[in-house]
Structure formats: C-alpha cells, structure tokens
Amino acid sequence: SGNQKISNGLIRNGHNVYDFSYRDIARSEAPLRIKSLGVAKMNRRLIETVQSVRPDLLLLGHSELIANETLFEIRKLMPNIKIAMWWVDWLDGFLVDRHFFIDRIDLVDEFFMTTDPVALKDFLPLEKPLEKLHFMPNICDASIDNGRAFDVEVPRHDLLFIGRRTHLRTTLINFLETELADLSVGLYGQDRDTLVQGRAYIDLLSTCRMAINFSHRNDISLYSSDRQVHLAANGCLTFTPDTPNMRDLFSAEEMVYFSDFEDLKKKIMHFQAHPDEGRRIAKAGHARAHRDYECQAVTAQMMDKIFS
C-alpha cells in the first residue's frame, strides 16, 4: 500500500518511523462494534502516542477519522511539531465535506496531493493554500515493484487491464472485449473473482508486456490512479489517456498516450506487431519510474519541503 511505501522510503532515508494504523486501532477499540466509540478512543490513543514518541513530524495519510480537534490538541502539547498530510486519490472524499478539508488545510504545515494543486482553485474557496499545497507523484518501491515485464518471453496476456466497472471504464472494457478479440486480453478487478492483490498483483503486472492505465477521471491535470506508476515500474508497456500535463511525468518515449479508444486500438495493434519498439519504451518508462518516483526519492523531496 501507499502507507507502506512511504514508511519504507522514510526508513531508507534514515528516519525513525512509528506507524500508527488509525483504522485498525479504531476497529479494535470499538466496544460492541460501535464504530463512533472506537474512533473517539483512537483519537485519544493518537494524542498519547505523540506524547510518548515525541516525533518531529506527524505525517497523515487518508486520515478522515482523525478529528481536527485532535490536531489542535497535538499542536498545543507540542508547539514545535510539524504536521503534514498526503492524499493520493482525486479529492472526491474531501469535496463531500469541504469544511473538513478547509479546516484541515489550516491545521497542517504542508499538504501533498497526486493532483495538480492549481486544479483545486476551481473547486474550493481556499484563501491562501497554494504555498502549502504540493504535487506529489504516485510512488513505486524498488523492494516491491521488482517486475521486468519487458523481459518476459511468453506473456500471460498480450494486454492487461485492471479496474472496476465504473461509468467510463465499462465502456473501455466493452470496447476491449469486442474490438480486440484476436488478442489475449486479461481483464481483472471487475469483481471478487477477478480481484488481484498483494504478490499476485505484482506477478500479474510482471508477466504482461502491454497494459492500460485508465482512471475514473482522466481530465484532471497530473492526476492518475497509482496503477500508472505500478505498471511502468514493473516493466509494462503502458497505454494511458493524454491527461493534461501528464507528459511532464512520463514522456511519449516512456509511455504510450492515446486520445480515444480508436486511437488506443491502433496503437495496441502497432506495438503488438512491433515488440522491440514497445520493449524500448517500456524499459524507458521503467527507468523513469524507479529514478524519479521511487519511494526513497519522493519521501526525500517531501522532507525537504516540510523542513526547509
């Protein structure tokens, strides 16, 4: 998970990391499975943990169960502590509760997001957020993402797509099933039977030479699901929508961009017929992912921003 990769990156950079799994603690602290009581106890446990560990930095992930009041309390107890937060999805969750988001922005020193911060101005009435909002790329981890799909002699599938059936993805899946019937197309993640997780997920990526990244939103500057970097980091020739500014992260020599499904089909058939050209692009994308988006490099940049 992203949490584990960020912890791994920080540890490899020489930091002492204490992981506080707020969801697990809230679950275990819930008497009679009453979630709200577990959440209240978890918030108290976080305050006690911070007092005990005395960290220089409290780094929050998707921490919607952690109350803003808890952060107030931590700031009061430890005036010198830095509080930062990262968020790796599009901001649907935050847009549901704008006040929570706006208050949270005021309570943290730095906020990292896998979306172009400038895109937020259209959604939220933030007074002066942009200096503390930072873009962070989706990350890979060399100890986890160790696939080299471009070296595979006999791929498990010619083409791989992993993703739930949501509005646009359903259209894509139908297109792949009808228009690419001549290829072996591996479709995973649509239901419980085709869900792949853990090592099986990495093994799957590592044995399919071509794969499609397609998020539920493909029109937000710099935003993609983390699958894009997973595919590249495990050596797949990755096809991805031409999302605004995405070529700043991976160039057209490192990833294949498509404008619509017909363009996608044309490019898939081209690289199916020209495997050496595809292998060259996949190798370049793999090198870029492990150079610029590996957890050690990304967490080093985060720490520079937090403590500079």
Side-chain angles (χ1 to χ4, degrees):
S1 73
N3 298 306
Q4 185 192 352
K5 291 178 181 181
I6 284 188
S7 291
N8 286 355
L10 289 167
I11 290 164
R12 285 177 212 147
N13 284 320
H15 302 289
N16 179 24
V17 174
Y18 183 97
D19 285 314
F20 181 92
S21 178
Y22 73 96
R23 284 200 179 117
D24 289 347
I25 291 169
R27 203 175 294 122
S28 68
E29 291 283 3
L32 308 175
R33 297 194 172 167
I34 302 168
K35 186 181 172 186
S36 59
L37 297 180
V39 168
K41 278 191 169 182
M42 176 275 294
N43 274 273
R44 285 203 299 280
R45 285 271 297 277
L46 176 59
I47 294 168
E48 289 161 9
T49 302
V50 166
Q51 285 181 286
S52 166
V53 176
R54 304 195 70 74
D56 301 299
L57 168 65
L58 173 63
L59 183 58
L60 305 166
H62 285 215
S63 47
E64 67 284 351
L65 297 183
I66 293 171
N68 287 333
E69 293 73 30
T70 299
L71 302 185
F72 273 123
E73 183 69 19
I74 288 170
R75 282 238 185 259
K76 224 160 51 189
L77 292 166
M78 293 187 63
N80 294 328
I81 195 171
K82 295 276 191 187
I83 302 179
M85 183 167 171
W86 54 274
W87 185 271
V88 296
D89 291 330
W90 170 234
L91 296 166
D92 315 56
F94 269 136
L95 296 180
V96 170
D97 190 348
R98 288 160 187 257
H99 294 295
F100 177 88
F101 182 72
I102 292 163
D103 291 347
R104 179 66 50 104
I105 283 285
D106 283 338
L107 287 168
V108 301
D109 296 296
E110 311 296 338
F111 188 93
F112 300 90
M113 53 200 289
T114 56
T115 304
D116 188 343
V118 176
L120 259 196
K121 289 197 299 194
D122 301 333
F123 292 92
L124 290 163
L126 299 173
E127 299 298 315
K128 48 176 185 351
L130 286 180
E131 66 269 19
K132 66 163 73 167
L133 295 186
H134 310 285
F135 174 74
M136 70 175 278
N138 285 301
I139 58 177
C140 60
D141 182 329
S143 68
I144 297 169
D145 299 293
N146 53 12
R148 296 173 66 83
F150 45 74
D151 283 339
V152 171
E153 289 298 321
V154 183
R156 196 185 309 189
H157 300 287
D158 297 317
L159 179 70
L160 174 67
F161 176 69
I162 304 172
R164 287 201 308 263
R165 281 186 183 270
T166 55
H167 171 55
L168 270 175
R169 282 175 174 166
T170 303
T171 314
L172 171 65
I173 290 164
N174 294 341
F175 184 85
L176 297 175
E177 287 176 330
T178 54
E179 295 291 318
L180 295 174
D182 295 345
L183 300 187
S184 164
V185 179
L187 297 171
Y188 293 83
Q190 286 85 55
D191 51 43
R192 192 170 291 173
D193 294 338
T194 59
L195 190 66
V196 275
Q197 293 175 301
R199 194 65 227 172
Y201 171 71
I202 301 296
D203 289 344
L204 177 63
L205 306 190
S206 309
T207 49
C208 298
R209 276 209 297 259
M210 300 191 292
I212 299 170
N213 168 61
F214 196 76
S215 307
H216 65 289
R217 291 282 302 265
N218 296 293
D219 57 345
I220 299 162
S221 175
L222 295 176
Y223 170 72
S224 168
S225 81
D226 54 3
R227 195 151 291 131
Q228 180 183 33
V229 79
H230 298 167
L231 296 174
N234 287 287
C236 297
L237 175 63
T238 305
F239 297 81
T240 195
D242 207 349
T243 301
N245 301 310
M246 194 56 79
R247 290 169 190 246
D248 294 348
L249 301 183
F250 288 96
S251 74
E253 281 74 52
E254 298 162 334
M255 200 160 272
V256 181
Y257 289 94
F258 62 89
S259 53
D260 55 34
F261 292 163
E262 285 301 331
D263 186 43
L264 171 64
K265 178 185 175 182
K266 191 175 79 190
K267 286 171 176 169
I268 288 168
M269 298 318 291
H270 171 82
F271 287 106
Q272 178 71 1
H274 300 87
D276 287 344
E277 188 187 343
R279 197 172 288 118
R280 194 167 63 243
I281 294 172
K283 278 187 172 175
H286 177 268
R288 180 73 185 273
H290 282 275
R291 187 186 76 222
D292 291 347
Y293 312 129
E294 210 276 332
C295 57
Q296 194 169 345
V298 173
T299 53
Q301 290 169 348
M302 290 169 77
M303 297 302 272
D304 281 349
K305 291 208 166 76
I306 293 165
F307 289 102
S308 64

